[in-house]
Amino acid sequence: MESYGKYNWKTKLHEIIYEADTPAGKLFDVVLLIVIVASIILVMLESIKSFDERFHSFLDISEWVITILFTIEYILRIITVKKPLKYITSFYGIIDLLSTIPKYLSLIFIGTHALVALRALRLLRIFRILKLVRFMGASNQLSSALKASRVKISVFLFAVIIAATIFGTIMYLVEGEENGFNNIPKSIYWCIVTLTTVGFGDIAPQTPLGQFIATLIMILGYGIIAVPTGIVSAEYTKASDTDSSKKLSDEEHKHVNTVIKNTQSCINCLATKHKDDAIFCRKCGSKLRI
Amino acid sequence: MESYGKYNWKTKLHEIIYEADTPAGKLFDVVLLIVIVASIILVMLESIKSFDERFHSFLDISEWVITILFTIEYILRIITVKKPLKYITSFYGIIDLLSTIPKYLSLIFIGTHALVALRALRLLRIFRILKLVRFMGASNQLSSALKASRVKISVFLFAVIIAATIFGTIMYLVEGEENGFNNIPKSIYWCIVTLTTVGFGDIAPQTPLGQFIATLIMILGYGIIAVPTGIVSAEYTKASDTDSSKKLSDEEHKHVNTVIKNTQSCINCLATKHKDDAIFCRKCGSKLRI
Amino acid sequence: MESYGKYNWKTKLHEIIYEADTPAGKLFDVVLLIVIVASIILVMLESIKSFDERFHSFLDISEWVITILFTIEYILRIITVKKPLKYITSFYGIIDLLSTIPKYLSLIFIGTHALVALRALRLLRIFRILKLVRFMGASNQLSSALKASRVKISVFLFAVIIAATIFGTIMYLVEGEENGFNNIPKSIYWCIVTLTTVGFGDIAPQTPLGQFIATLIMILGYGIIAVPTGIVSAEYTKASDTDSSKKLSDEEHKHVNTVIKNTQSCINCLATKHKDDAIFCRKCGSKLRI
Amino acid sequence: MESYGKYNWKTKLHEIIYEADTPAGKLFDVVLLIVIVASIILVMLESIKSFDERFHSFLDISEWVITILFTIEYILRIITVKKPLKYITSFYGIIDLLSTIPKYLSLIFIGTHALVALRALRLLRIFRILKLVRFMGASNQLSSALKASRVKISVFLFAVIIAATIFGTIMYLVEGEENGFNNIPKSIYWCIVTLTTVGFGDIAPQTPLGQFIATLIMILGYGIIAVPTGIVSAEYTKASDTDSSKKLSDEEHKHVNTVIKNTQSCINCLATKHKDDAIFCRKCGSKLRI
């Protein structure tokens, strides 16, 4: 196609749209974030009937403005990348497309409720902007603590689900349909509501025996709420001890080094997470920001 | 009886059914897990009236299929073990039998509600399969932390129950029957609902004095929710410190060594948890997997 | 009065009733515990109207039996102690008396509801028996962690109460009487129900603004539930580190040494918590268990 | 203006009103605290209709007494400070004024509901008295732990809000208006009620699919309640380790040193937090307590 060796407008636009280490790139991200948030607020406001009735035309026009902005952005994203198809079929490419089309679709399928779901997908676009958050570096420790306790929390949640199934069946047999425990799945739902100490109270045991078993479930839930907390707390203490004492083991050292604050995005293959001193893309070998 | 010195079909079947260190044994466990889960889902679906009415024959046939599968498994378990009576009277032997018979019983006692309870017992069979989980090794640290804090959590729960009894009696006297606090046990039930921060709201204090005492109970509950969490958290940190620093005390060393990943099951006495290099059963002395 | 230098029956009885280091003393405590628990269960059962109506005479007789047992115990406690007045006016002396008299009072004041409160006081007698628990030694670490965090938790709870007052007033102004927020104290009550994540739901915000503020309160509550947990957890880790590493500071050493497992009770002044090798009472100097 | 070089009455009054290191100053603070708390209790009592109707004149007179006391205090605060305008326009100056005027305003605007809000502002005055709390020194460790985890908790809360928005939209689509999920903001409100395990139950999912998604939300909430707790717990352990081991890094050393227990307040510019050995104001250079 064309030579990307010089700072032509496509390369510049690519840097603005896909990266966040130039003032223009940061501004673009912030503006995009605002538009996305605005579009989500619009979806919310439209769901409020009384508001929708009074300001219908305002909501309609705003939605068109956002749709057009997203359309322009989508087209720019396609033309500033070397392999458009790769972008279009990527996760964010699909999200971007789905975020753009609901209003167009509403012209064809009039009054479809499901388009709200499509518009809500725009929320996922925020995660793309979160590469900004990466600069904060605050969530690294947190996410590494969560990653370390992932397996243990899974084992724990599995135990919670088994307990909920057993107690749910018992409560179904004890309380029965006349007290709101219509069937076993609903009983299990109630059990999880109770074990997690949420306690809606839409269903509540009425028989003395049911209330006694509920007491056991609650005390059990109270006792085991400690477990995930203890796990994350311990892992986090470990992670933060490691950080502060600077006594890093080899593997941990590697991990700390791979915290990526670079927002470079390859114009050819869209690969990100390049090292700060990288000149060539680590995935496809094409030159970065020449 | 017969010679178990060679790989005859019984020994092979024993290995498949009772152990999980051969591909066939693992497959058997996975299939069994699926059948058990399916049978539990059937129980759940049958408890949903509208579903039961529409798909009654499907549920009936499925239950028969599962019952027959369980029957075959139960018979195989009996004939592949040297001392069938020992298996039949063991905990899992009784569970296996009770899991198998509900459908047969339903032919005799028509429409008995209590059979649901019997069928729900199948859930307990999952724990047998959980020997698979042992391979994950993830829950060891967790369970050792829980074991270490067991006594302390008991003391704590005892204190919670005393507090609930005292406050329950007070609330019964303050609020009385007209506000839903019909009797002291129900008041205690409400107290535990509140202390554990579940808060159904099916019963709630109505008098200003009752609401004031409820406030005290809630703040107390808020303050003491920290205690079990703190205990488990501290124990877990200790357990995980020990692991990572490799400075194991003698006793802890012994504990770590006894984490059993071996699934060998003695064909004679059904004893499990053998050492990896064990050739003879640690309980009855008969040869393992010859 | 009399010579206490020999093992006369009074000294023996004193040892049985007030102490727990002889088999007879332990038996006495266990029996007393059972009687107290039985008496509390009686109070509970009597509060259940349907039960009271059917088994009124049984409950009446049982209450008389317990009252007589308590009366005998109370008289024995008085005569086996050197200074009866000191016992009678002590905390447990008053509790013992109040536990004994409700049934006698019911002869004079017929049908008084308030006597239930008096009978519920019996629960406090359990704490006397808890000297048995001291042998378990399990709660020492726990209570020292709680003691260490007492001041901090108070400061924290004070902050919670101020937050509840501010948000309660705001919610009263926003929601108003028509949505259940009748007055500021009730609003504050709702606020604490929400901050502690109990959430009864008997009062719930109805206006969008009220629900928005409620969201803030909940997230605040969610964020600060971490604080007392973190405090206790950290203190407990410290306490348990100290224990396990055996590196005790002077002051902590002293504390550990003062964990009293001795149940000797001076026959003269009722002082307890003597050292195991004490021969004379540490308070009044009279001889112990001669 | 006048010479402040000697202990004239203005300097003395300044010391009493603005500082808390003389007996008179402490007494003034305690009395002021009592009056503020009394004024807040008055606001609460007035909001209880039945109480207001019976004791209207008592409440009215009490409010006048407090208003006059506050007026006197306000005037004294103005005349004992060198630059009155600076005090009047300061945060606490405005709070003091707003705390004083509601009763005067009620003469002009009869029966204004909003004046309650103005009177509730008096609560903020308590924070001024909390300089007394500073002497306790208990909250320092706590607030430093909170400060250290501020950024991380923000990141975490941001994640919670995004999760609530996504799940809220899903629940709105699944449950719809007929089950109380009238619009997306209300759905998000419900989602946060559930994620924080508050669970009012004023809105609760009715469809099986909705209840299933609610289960996921609750387990998610149960799993992530661990995160802020773990963060604060770890930070607090670190802070408290630092304290107890006396191995302070340079920066931490500085922090510990800046814990201010001095209540001196400059008569010229009202600056506080002076070092104990300070003779001149650290902000404007004028002499302190000459």
Side-chain angles (χ1 to χ4, degrees):
Chain A
M1 306 174 195
E2 304 149 71
S3 145
Y4 278 86
K6 305 175 241 157
Y7 263 124
N8 61 11
W9 63 272
K10 274 196 188 177
T11 325
K12 263 184 194 159
L13 259 176
H14 177 90
E15 207 164 303
I16 291 168
I17 295 175
Y18 284 95
E19 299 173 12
D21 46 6
T22 57
K26 273 179 194 165
L27 183 71
F28 179 84
D29 274 8
V30 169
V31 169
L32 186 57
L33 190 64
I34 291 165
V35 175
I36 292 169
V37 168
S39 76
I40 291 158
I41 290 169
L42 274 184
V43 177
M44 288 183 191
L45 290 176
E46 214 179 301
S47 77
I48 305 170
K49 259 201 174 154
S50 60
F51 192 93
D52 186 35
E53 272 158 20
R54 284 181 59 192
F55 302 100
H56 188 75
S57 54
F58 165 73
L59 289 172
D60 203 50
I61 291 162
S62 309
E63 181 63 23
W64 269 117
V65 169
I66 282 163
T67 299
I68 288 160
L69 286 175
F70 279 1
T71 310
I72 294 167
E73 187 219 343
Y74 187 65
I75 291 166
L76 285 179
R77 277 189 190 272
I78 289 176
I79 56 174
T80 59
V81 85
K82 234 181 176 172
K83 295 181 177 168
L85 222 77
K86 192 158 187 184
Y87 161 69
I88 291 167
T89 56
S90 73
F91 176 72
Y92 279 124
I94 292 164
I95 295 291
D96 289 353
L97 180 64
L98 293 177
S99 300
T100 311
I101 53 170
K103 201 63 190 174
Y104 298 125
L105 289 179
S106 75
L107 295 178
I108 311 169
F109 314 100
I110 293 150
T112 320
H113 194 62
L115 290 177
V116 173
L118 226 58
R119 288 165 67 192
L121 274 176
R122 288 170 183 167
L123 208 63
L124 292 175
R125 301 198 66 194
I126 285 181
F127 289 103
R128 189 211 290 270
I129 320 295
L130 285 191
K131 64 189 172 190
L132 273 173
V133 170
R134 256 192 261 151
F135 283 105
M136 295 167 62
S139 57
N140 290 326
Q141 212 176 39
L142 185 57
S143 67
S144 77
L146 279 179
K147 234 175 259 170
S149 17
R150 201 181 34 188
V151 182
K152 282 153 204 171
I153 286 185
S154 306
V155 171
F156 172 69
L157 287 184
F158 180 65
V160 167
I161 288 162
I162 287 208
T165 312
I166 291 173
F167 279 113
T169 310
I170 293 172
M171 288 303 282
Y172 167 69
L173 292 170
V174 167
E175 289 281 326
E177 258 170 83
E178 62 276 18
N179 293 322
F181 292 77
N182 299 21
N183 48 57
I184 294 176
K186 205 171 181 182
S187 262
I188 292 170
Y189 159 72
W190 174 85
C191 237
I192 288 174
V193 167
T194 306
L195 267 176
T196 54
T197 76
V198 171
F200 283 131
D202 53 340
I203 316 164
Q206 301 300 328
T207 63
L209 181 58
Q211 292 179 341
F212 179 72
I213 295 167
T215 302
L216 294 183
I217 296 170
M218 280 178 274
I219 288 179
L220 183 72
Y222 198 55
I224 58 175
I225 206 168
V227 175
T229 310
I231 293 169
V232 174
S233 183
E235 294 294 342
Y236 191 83
T237 309
K238 245 164 68 180
S240 117
D241 278 6
T242 313
D243 270 34
S244 59
S245 66
K246 307 285 180 217
K247 288 170 204 155
L248 297 167
S249 74
D250 270 21
E251 198 190 21
E252 283 161 339
H253 212 89
K254 222 156 74 192
H255 174 79
V256 170
N257 278 348
T258 54
V259 172
I260 304 294
K261 299 188 174 177
N262 186 301
T263 64
Q264 287 297 321
S265 160
C266 172
I267 203 168
N268 188 38
C269 72
L270 287 175
T272 54
K273 303 191 182 174
H274 302 289
K275 292 253 169 182
D276 283 346
D277 55 356
I279 300 173
F280 294 96
C281 173
R282 65 191 174 91
K283 283 283 173 63
C284 70
S286 58
K287 251 192 170 171
L288 296 169
R289 59 160 141 176
I290 311 168
Chain B
M1 306 172 197
E2 305 146 69
S3 145
Y4 277 86
K6 302 173 239 158
Y7 261 125
N8 61 12
W9 64 272
K10 275 195 186 177
T11 324
K12 263 183 193 161
L13 259 176
H14 177 90
E15 207 163 304
I16 291 169
I17 295 174
Y18 284 95
E19 299 173 12
D21 46 6
T22 56
K26 271 179 195 165
L27 183 71
F28 179 84
D29 274 9
V30 169
V31 169
L32 187 58
L33 190 65
I34 291 166
V35 175
I36 293 169
V37 168
S39 76
I40 291 157
I41 290 169
L42 274 184
V43 177
M44 287 182 192
L45 291 177
E46 213 179 302
S47 77
I48 305 169
K49 257 198 178 158
S50 60
F51 192 93
D52 186 35
E53 272 158 19
R54 283 182 59 192
F55 302 99
H56 188 75
S57 54
F58 165 73
L59 290 172
D60 202 51
I61 292 163
S62 310
E63 180 63 22
W64 269 118
V65 169
I66 281 164
T67 299
I68 288 162
L69 285 175
F70 280 2
T71 310
I72 294 168
E73 187 217 345
Y74 187 63
I75 292 167
L76 285 179
R77 277 190 190 271
I78 289 176
I79 56 173
T80 58
V81 85
K82 233 179 175 173
K83 296 181 177 167
L85 221 79
K86 191 157 189 185
Y87 161 69
I88 291 167
T89 56
S90 72
F91 176 71
Y92 279 123
I94 293 164
I95 295 292
D96 288 352
L97 181 64
L98 293 176
S99 301
T100 311
I101 52 169
K103 201 65 190 173
Y104 299 124
L105 290 178
S106 74
L107 295 176
I108 311 168
F109 315 101
I110 291 150
T112 321
H113 194 61
L115 291 178
V116 173
L118 227 58
R119 287 166 67 192
L121 273 177
R122 288 170 183 168
L123 210 62
L124 292 175
R125 301 197 67 194
I126 284 180
F127 289 104
R128 189 212 289 270
I129 318 295
L130 285 190
K131 65 188 171 190
L132 273 173
V133 171
R134 256 193 260 150
F135 284 104
M136 295 167 60
S139 56
N140 291 325
Q141 212 176 38
L142 186 58
S143 67
S144 77
L146 280 179
K147 235 175 257 169
S149 19
R150 200 180 34 189
V151 181
K152 281 153 205 170
I153 286 185
S154 305
V155 171
F156 171 69
L157 287 183
F158 180 66
V160 167
I161 288 162
I162 287 208
T165 312
I166 292 173
F167 279 113
T169 310
I170 293 171
M171 287 303 283
Y172 167 71
L173 293 169
V174 167
E175 288 282 325
E177 257 169 83
E178 61 276 18
N179 293 321
F181 292 76
N182 299 22
N183 47 57
I184 294 177
K186 205 171 181 181
S187 263
I188 292 170
Y189 159 73
W190 173 85
C191 238
I192 288 174
V193 167
T194 306
L195 266 177
T196 55
T197 76
V198 171
F200 284 131
D202 53 340
I203 316 163
Q206 301 300 328
T207 63
L209 181 57
Q211 291 178 341
F212 179 71
I213 296 167
T215 302
L216 294 183
I217 296 171
M218 279 178 274
I219 287 179
L220 183 71
Y222 198 55
I224 58 175
I225 206 167
V227 175
T229 310
I231 293 170
V232 174
S233 183
E235 295 292 343
Y236 191 82
T237 308
K238 244 164 67 181
S240 118
D241 278 6
T242 314
D243 269 32
S244 60
S245 65
K246 308 287 179 213
K247 287 170 202 153
L248 297 167
S249 74
D250 270 22
E251 198 191 20
E252 283 161 339
H253 211 88
K254 221 157 73 193
H255 173 78
V256 170
N257 278 347
T258 53
V259 172
I260 304 292
K261 299 190 175 177
N262 186 303
T263 64
Q264 286 297 323
S265 158
C266 173
I267 202 167
N268 188 38
C269 72
L270 287 175
T272 54
K273 302 190 183 177
H274 303 289
K275 291 255 170 181
D276 282 345
D277 53 357
I279 300 173
F280 295 96
C281 173
R282 63 191 176 90
K283 283 282 173 63
C284 69
S286 57
K287 250 188 173 175
L288 296 169
R289 58 160 140 174
I290 311 165
Chain C
M1 303 172 199
E2 304 148 71
S3 145
Y4 278 86
K6 303 175 241 157
Y7 261 125
N8 62 12
W9 64 272
K10 275 195 188 178
T11 326
K12 262 183 195 161
L13 259 177
H14 176 89
E15 207 163 303
I16 290 168
I17 295 175
Y18 284 95
E19 299 173 12
D21 45 6
T22 57
K26 271 178 196 169
L27 184 71
F28 178 84
D29 274 9
V30 169
V31 170
L32 186 58
L33 190 64
I34 291 165
V35 175
I36 292 169
V37 168
S39 76
I40 291 157
I41 290 170
L42 274 183
V43 177
M44 288 182 190
L45 291 177
E46 214 177 301
S47 77
I48 305 171
K49 256 197 178 156
S50 60
F51 192 94
D52 187 35
E53 272 157 20
R54 283 182 58 191
F55 302 100
H56 188 75
S57 54
F58 165 74
L59 289 172
D60 203 52
I61 292 163
S62 309
E63 180 64 22
W64 269 118
V65 170
I66 282 164
T67 299
I68 289 162
L69 285 175
F70 280 2
T71 311
I72 294 168
E73 187 217 344
Y74 186 66
I75 293 167
L76 285 179
R77 277 189 190 275
I78 289 176
I79 57 174
T80 58
V81 84
K82 232 179 177 173
K83 296 180 177 167
L85 222 77
K86 192 158 187 185
Y87 161 68
I88 291 166
T89 55
S90 72
F91 176 71
Y92 279 122
I94 292 163
I95 295 290
D96 289 352
L97 182 62
L98 292 177
S99 300
T100 311
I101 53 170
K103 201 65 191 173
Y104 299 124
L105 290 178
S106 74
L107 296 176
I108 311 168
F109 315 100
I110 292 150
T112 319
H113 193 61
L115 290 178
V116 173
L118 226 60
R119 288 166 65 193
L121 274 176
R122 288 169 183 169
L123 209 62
L124 292 175
R125 301 197 66 193
I126 285 180
F127 288 105
R128 189 212 288 269
I129 317 295
L130 285 191
K131 65 186 172 190
L132 274 172
V133 170
R134 255 193 261 150
F135 284 104
M136 294 168 60
S139 57
N140 291 326
Q141 213 177 36
L142 186 58
S143 68
S144 77
L146 280 179
K147 233 176 259 170
S149 20
R150 201 180 34 191
V151 182
K152 281 152 204 171
I153 285 185
S154 306
V155 171
F156 171 69
L157 286 183
F158 180 66
V160 167
I161 288 162
I162 288 208
T165 312
I166 292 173
F167 279 114
T169 311
I170 294 171
M171 287 303 282
Y172 167 70
L173 293 169
V174 167
E175 288 281 327
E177 257 170 83
E178 63 275 19
N179 294 322
F181 293 77
N182 298 21
N183 48 57
I184 294 176
K186 204 170 181 181
S187 263
I188 292 170
Y189 159 72
W190 174 85
C191 239
I192 287 174
V193 167
T194 306
L195 266 176
T196 55
T197 76
V198 171
F200 284 131
D202 53 340
I203 316 163
Q206 301 300 327
T207 63
L209 182 57
Q211 292 179 339
F212 179 71
I213 296 167
T215 302
L216 294 183
I217 296 170
M218 280 179 271
I219 287 178
L220 184 71
Y222 198 54
I224 58 176
I225 205 168
V227 176
T229 309
I231 293 169
V232 174
S233 182
E235 295 293 343
Y236 190 83
T237 309
K238 244 163 69 181
S240 120
D241 278 5
T242 314
D243 270 33
S244 59
S245 65
K246 307 289 178 213
K247 288 171 202 155
L248 298 167
S249 74
D250 270 21
E251 197 190 21
E252 283 160 340
H253 211 90
K254 220 157 74 193
H255 173 77
V256 169
N257 278 348
T258 53
V259 171
I260 304 293
K261 300 189 174 177
N262 187 302
T263 64
Q264 286 296 322
S265 162
C266 173
I267 203 166
N268 189 39
C269 73
L270 287 176
T272 53
K273 302 189 184 178
H274 303 289
K275 291 256 172 180
D276 282 346
D277 54 356
I279 299 172
F280 295 96
C281 173
R282 64 192 174 89
K283 284 281 174 65
C284 69
S286 57
K287 251 193 172 170
L288 296 169
R289 58 159 140 174
I290 312 161
Chain D
M1 303 175 195
E2 305 148 69
S3 145
Y4 278 87
K6 303 176 242 157
Y7 262 125
N8 63 12
W9 65 271
K10 274 196 190 178
T11 324
K12 261 184 196 161
L13 258 177
H14 177 90
E15 206 163 303
I16 290 168
I17 295 175
Y18 284 94
E19 298 173 13
D21 46 6
T22 57
K26 272 180 195 166
L27 184 70
F28 179 84
D29 273 8
V30 169
V31 169
L32 185 58
L33 190 64
I34 290 165
V35 175
I36 292 169
V37 168
S39 77
I40 291 158
I41 289 169
L42 274 184
V43 177
M44 287 184 192
L45 291 176
E46 214 178 301
S47 77
I48 305 170
K49 256 197 178 157
S50 60
F51 192 93
D52 187 35
E53 272 158 20
R54 285 182 58 191
F55 302 100
H56 188 76
S57 54
F58 165 75
L59 289 173
D60 203 52
I61 292 163
S62 310
E63 181 63 23
W64 269 118
V65 170
I66 282 164
T67 299
I68 288 161
L69 285 175
F70 279 2
T71 310
I72 294 167
E73 186 218 344
Y74 188 66
I75 292 166
L76 285 178
R77 277 189 190 273
I78 288 175
I79 57 173
T80 58
V81 85
K82 234 180 175 172
K83 296 181 176 167
L85 221 76
K86 191 157 187 185
Y87 161 69
I88 292 167
T89 57
S90 72
F91 176 72
Y92 279 122
I94 293 163
I95 294 292
D96 290 352
L97 181 63
L98 292 177
S99 301
T100 311
I101 52 170
K103 201 64 192 172
Y104 299 124
L105 289 179
S106 75
L107 296 176
I108 312 168
F109 315 100
I110 292 149
T112 320
H113 193 62
L115 290 178
V116 174
L118 227 59
R119 288 166 66 194
L121 273 177
R122 287 169 185 169
L123 209 62
L124 292 175
R125 302 197 66 194
I126 285 180
F127 289 104
R128 187 211 290 270
I129 319 295
L130 285 191
K131 65 187 173 192
L132 274 173
V133 171
R134 256 193 262 150
F135 284 104
M136 295 168 61
S139 56
N140 291 326
Q141 213 177 37
L142 186 58
S143 66
S144 77
L146 279 179
K147 234 176 257 169
S149 21
R150 201 180 33 188
V151 182
K152 282 153 204 172
I153 285 185
S154 307
V155 171
F156 171 69
L157 287 183
F158 179 65
V160 167
I161 288 161
I162 287 208
T165 313
I166 291 172
F167 279 112
T169 311
I170 292 171
M171 287 303 282
Y172 167 69
L173 293 170
V174 167
E175 289 282 325
E177 258 169 83
E178 63 275 19
N179 294 322
F181 293 77
N182 299 21
N183 48 58
I184 293 176
K186 205 171 181 181
S187 263
I188 292 170
Y189 159 71
W190 174 85
C191 238
I192 288 174
V193 167
T194 306
L195 266 177
T196 55
T197 76
V198 171
F200 283 131
D202 52 341
I203 316 164
Q206 301 299 327
T207 64
L209 181 58
Q211 292 179 340
F212 179 72
I213 295 167
T215 302
L216 294 183
I217 296 171
M218 280 177 273
I219 287 179
L220 184 71
Y222 198 55
I224 58 175
I225 206 168
V227 175
T229 310
I231 293 170
V232 174
S233 183
E235 294 293 344
Y236 191 83
T237 309
K238 245 163 68 180
S240 122
D241 278 5
T242 314
D243 270 33
S244 59
S245 65
K246 307 286 179 217
K247 288 170 202 154
L248 297 167
S249 74
D250 271 19
E251 198 190 20
E252 284 160 339
H253 211 89
K254 221 156 76 193
H255 173 78
V256 169
N257 278 348
T258 54
V259 171
I260 305 293
K261 299 189 174 178
N262 187 301
T263 63
Q264 287 297 321
S265 161
C266 173
I267 203 166
N268 188 38
C269 72
L270 287 176
T272 54
K273 303 191 184 177
H274 303 289
K275 290 255 170 179
D276 283 345
D277 54 357
I279 301 173
F280 295 96
C281 173
R282 65 191 173 91
K283 283 281 173 63
C284 69
S286 57
K287 252 192 170 171
L288 295 169
R289 59 158 138 177
I290 311 165

